[in-house]
Amino acid sequence: MIRPAFLLLLLACAAASYGATARADGATLFVNEMRVLTLRATVGDSNPKTRAATLAKVLNNRSEINLTVQTTAQSAKVFESGSVLILINKAEAAAHATSTARLASTWIESLRAAWSLPPVKLSASAVTLPTKGTATVDIVGRDARTAPMFIDSKEVVSVTRSGAKLTIKPVAVGETTLTVGEAEDARDIKIRVLPYAATFPQTHSATVVGSPASESSIKSVVEGILKTRIQGVTGAQWKWTGIDTKALSAGQKVTIPIRVKASANNAFASEGIVNVSVSNLGLAHKRETALWYCNDPENVKKPQSLFMAQLQENEPVRMLYHHINDSFQGLFLQVFIANKSDKTASVVVIPGDSKDKNPVLAGVLAADPFFRSWVHGSGEVVSIPPGATLPISFRRLAPQETSSGLCYLRLLPGGPQTLTVTTEAVLPYELNESWQAALRTPTPWREVGIPPNIGASFSSEHTQVIYPSPFKDEEFTYSVGGNFSFFRIGHRPIARQDKGQALEGNFGVIYNIQAKAENKTAVAANIELVFETSAGYSGGIFLLDEQFIRLPLMQAKAEVRLARFRLEPGATKTINLSTIPLSGSSYPATLVLRPVSTLPDLTGG
């Protein structure tokens, strides 16, 4: 039985005062630059491309169209003003994986949408792009290919048109507006060109000293560069992968590549390599000429100046500072080096800095990293520009918290002859994010860089407490069968430069001690070297025959074995030991050479 044809849809597109544009691109039909349909089946002698070209010719410049649809079991026909416009057979429907009726409905809807377009319609009304990117905007509508364009600022972007596509290229960071079309048909695109948070690759350099410069020192120096010297937009945030470092011998140089990610508000995220070149200056370590003793008063009850001195060219100093906030409010304890000259200063810094509620532990935590680096002369060469300040220590102390430090400072030749070093307790003041981070680190300059000269808050100079020659070279000997041999660390105070009070306890003085044992008997003996906290609660750090030892905190009169050894008849043995009386601990303390007791063996020796 023959099924009667029936009407599915009637579409009348409203008449307009202008004609639509229609064109074919291969087998695809575009109306007003909107993709309407793609033909895939051959009808009679007409292949898809020919059919699309015929459709475009029929529809081009039509101001209105009236479409109806008839379907049968075999096909769907789209009529325009009574004439067949499109025949959709089963092959066409199958190629689109649908039915003839549904395909006809879809195409008619597309034609209606295309015919209802305004003269100009843009695919975006706002574009944001980076300085090295491009953006494209599609235009549809009757005037898509011919509408005039106007750019408010050609200094920000350049725009080219290819058919109905706009390509926007940045010229400089900024904002502008691109207008497409005229009068009531005009459409705007707001354009922003933003920078990248940072550009890569970047190269930076650092100088260290030491025999060798330690792996930990180099890693800290590199991290400081990443935090303070990478170039990027204001407010950029940085993330990086692990830093692969090794100890660096004198005179050696290494370049360390680090992959860094940068992000910032109003900027595009970026990622790349920062190459940090680290050179070991090969500078021979020079012993300190003086100990700067910043401990008066130890208990700080109010904001005040605590120390001020001049660091002289090529006269290294060891600076000790140890202060307890004994007030009822928070205080900043800050140690700054100011370059007030018109020349760049180069300063070797071997840092050691900490804070803690326990003043004994604070002293240990400051001296430990200092002493480990000091024995190899491992430090950083920091450049201080004219009128700039190097923050050596910057701590916020709650009531009863202690700030403690031990550091090596050496002003190298070639710049100013002196630098001003100050220690102050000041009331807390407002800080930016970098300075907030500086409060939590023993090396604040690696968080904030070398800022402009901050200057001292107090006009009057504090009394300088300086002790020349802060070293003690000592020895003591034990003979098997004789009395125990004792050496008192911190017992004979070194003299003060201005003939003031000698340094009781010799805090911050480096002791180099030879502990000798001899066996003149005919029987082998087991000997031990013991440390005793003779004066009270203390910590201790030692370098014993190239082995670094940090003792646990010990109560008064406690003992711990540092070494043990067997001495054959007629034999002798010398143990080379270096140590420092620690801030906050109780000295004098005692070393003892004696026969082995029942003490636990600290070193496993």
Side-chain angles (χ1 to χ4, degrees):
M1 182 177 68
I2 299 174
R3 297 179 60 189
F6 58 93
L7 185 65
L8 270 184
L9 176 67
L10 172 65
L11 170 66
C13 289
S17 60
Y18 53 83
T21 62
R23 65 180 180 88
D25 184 355
T28 299
L29 174 69
F30 289 84
V31 175
N32 289 337
E33 292 306 321
M34 178 178 170
R35 180 182 177 278
V36 173
L37 58 86
T38 298
L39 298 167
R40 295 177 180 172
T42 298
V43 176
D45 295 333
S46 298
N47 60 31
K49 288 185 179 180
T50 302
R51 295 173 63 204
T54 301
L55 272 174
K57 185 176 181 180
V58 169
L59 296 175
N60 194 38
N61 289 323
R62 288 278 189 96
S63 59
E64 64 176 27
I65 54 173
N66 293 285
L67 302 176
T68 57
V69 177
Q70 259 186 351
T71 64
T72 68
Q74 303 299 318
S75 66
K77 294 179 181 178
V78 178
F79 292 85
E80 199 287 313
S81 299
S83 300
V84 175
L85 182 66
I86 309 170
L87 174 64
I88 303 172
N89 57 23
K90 284 189 173 182
E92 186 76 62
H96 291 272
T98 187
S99 67
T100 56
R102 287 180 180 174
L103 186 57
S105 178
T106 298
W107 283 357
I108 288 174
E109 289 298 321
S110 294
L111 283 164
R112 181 173 64 181
W115 235 271
S116 65
L117 286 172
V120 172
K121 183 178 180 180
L122 306 174
S123 62
S125 59
V127 170
T128 302
L129 69 161
T131 52
K132 293 185 179 180
T134 59
T136 58
V137 175
D138 294 322
I139 314 175
V140 293
R142 179 201 64 191
D143 297 335
R145 290 172 173 258
T146 59
M149 299 186 305
F150 308 93
I151 304 174
D152 283 354
S153 175
K154 293 183 179 180
E155 295 179 354
V156 177
V157 294
S158 65
V159 182
T160 57
R161 176 162 50 193
S162 176
K165 185 182 294 291
L166 302 179
T167 299
I168 302 171
K169 294 183 178 180
V171 175
V173 172
E175 297 183 8
T176 189
T177 299
L178 169 65
T179 301
V180 181
E182 294 180 291
E184 68 274 8
D185 295 330
R187 298 293 183 270
D188 289 342
I189 305 175
K190 300 296 183 182
I191 302 173
R192 297 177 70 202
V193 178
L194 298 180
Y196 286 102
T199 56
F200 299 98
Q202 294 187 27
T203 299
H204 301 278
S205 62
T207 305
V208 295
V209 293
S211 299
S214 69
E215 179 179 334
S216 61
S217 292
I218 294 172
K219 183 177 181 180
S220 294
V221 169
V222 172
E223 287 180 340
I225 287 175
L226 295 177
K227 291 176 181 178
T228 63
R229 288 164 55 184
I230 303 180
Q231 297 172 355
V233 300
T234 301
Q237 300 291 317
W238 315 100
K239 293 183 179 179
W240 52 83
T241 56
I243 300 171
D244 185 16
T245 64
K246 295 181 180 179
L248 198 62
S249 300
Q252 283 190 325
K253 180 178 180 179
V254 66
T255 297
I256 304 169
I258 303 106
R259 179 160 290 278
V260 176
K261 295 180 180 180
S263 60
N265 293 329
N266 296 318
F268 281 87
S270 55
E271 180 177 351
I273 297 296
V274 173
N275 293 299
V276 180
S277 177
V278 183
S279 301
N280 188 330
L281 193 58
L283 183 70
H285 183 65
K286 187 173 182 179
R287 290 189 11 151
E288 298 92 316
T289 60
L291 171 68
W292 287 359
Y293 194 72
C294 179
N295 185 239
D296 181 19
E298 181 172 0
N299 295 291
V300 179
K301 298 182 181 297
K302 62 181 180 179
Q304 64 184 103
S305 175
L306 297 166
F307 185 89
M308 183 179 290
Q310 299 298 316
L311 182 63
Q312 305 291 328
E313 179 184 302
N314 232 5
E315 294 186 14
V317 300
R318 184 183 319 137
M319 184 175 184
L320 178 152
Y321 49 92
H322 188 83
H323 297 281
I324 302 169
N325 180 3
D326 200 24
S327 73
F328 296 99
Q329 60 189 334
L331 292 174
F332 283 174
L333 195 291
Q334 53 194 37
V335 182
F336 292 159
I337 302 179
N339 180 6
K340 300 178 181 180
S341 75
D342 58 359
K343 298 179 180 179
T344 297
S346 296
V347 180
V348 177
V349 181
I350 302 176
D353 180 87
S354 74
K355 77 164 186 174
D356 200 86
K357 281 282 189 181
N358 183 337
V360 177
L361 182 57
V364 173
L365 294 177
D368 184 315
F370 165 78
F371 197 43
R372 289 177 188 267
S373 296
W374 182 90
V375 296
H376 299 292
S378 178
E380 177 183 359
V381 180
V382 182
S383 294
I384 311 176
T389 297
L390 172 64
I392 291 293
S393 177
F394 188 62
R395 297 288 190 176
R396 181 175 188 135
L397 302 182
Q400 299 309 306
E401 276 193 313
T402 299
S403 174
S404 189
L406 199 59
C407 63
Y408 173 97
L409 304 174
R410 177 183 177 185
L411 175 58
L412 299 180
Q417 294 184 340
T418 63
L419 297 174
T420 301
V421 182
T422 59
T423 303
E424 296 179 322
V426 301
L427 291 174
Y429 46 89
E430 187 174 351
L431 301 172
N432 62 25
E433 186 176 345
S434 294
W435 278 98
Q436 289 281 358
L439 288 171
R440 301 186 292 270
T441 175
T443 51
W445 68 92
R446 293 174 185 162
E447 299 290 339
V448 298
I450 315 297
N453 205 330
I454 298 170
S457 302
F458 302 93
S459 58
S460 60
E461 293 192 6
H462 191 77
T463 302
Q464 300 175 4
V465 182
I466 296 175
Y467 297 90
S469 304
F471 294 92
K472 285 278 192 178
D473 297 320
E474 306 281 0
E475 64 178 48
F476 69 113
T477 302
Y478 168 69
S479 292
V480 174
N483 295 329
F484 296 177
S485 183
F486 300 91
F487 178 80
R488 302 271 282 174
I489 303 170
H491 179 58
R492 294 190 299 274
I494 63 173
R496 185 164 153 174
Q497 177 177 272
D498 60 1
K499 309 304 180 184
Q501 184 178 357
L503 183 56
E504 296 293 337
N506 282 342
F507 297 97
V509 173
I510 291 179
Y511 279 76
N512 297 305
I513 302 166
Q514 287 189 335
K516 298 180 180 180
E518 56 187 16
N519 188 359
K520 297 180 179 180
T521 72
V523 180
N526 293 317
I527 310 300
E528 65 183 3
L529 175 64
V530 173
F531 175 73
E532 178 193 80
T533 53
S534 309
Y537 180 53
S538 297
I541 56 173
F542 299 88
L543 183 68
L544 191 152
D545 288 339
E546 304 303 318
Q547 180 185 3
F548 193 88
I549 300 170
R550 175 175 149 185
L551 302 181
L553 300 185
M554 300 161 59
Q555 298 297 327
K557 300 299 182 181
E559 292 184 343
V560 64
R561 178 188 295 144
L562 299 177
R564 63 178 291 176
F565 52 91
R566 184 174 178 83
L567 207 57
E568 299 297 330
T572 62
K573 182 176 178 62
T574 299
I575 297 175
N576 294 302
L577 184 76
S578 295
T579 189
I580 309 175
L582 303 177
S583 298
S585 290
S586 300
Y587 282 85
T590 305
L591 292 173
V592 186
L593 276 171
R594 68 189 186 191
V596 169
S597 65
T598 59
L599 285 176
D601 196 335
L602 180 69
T603 65

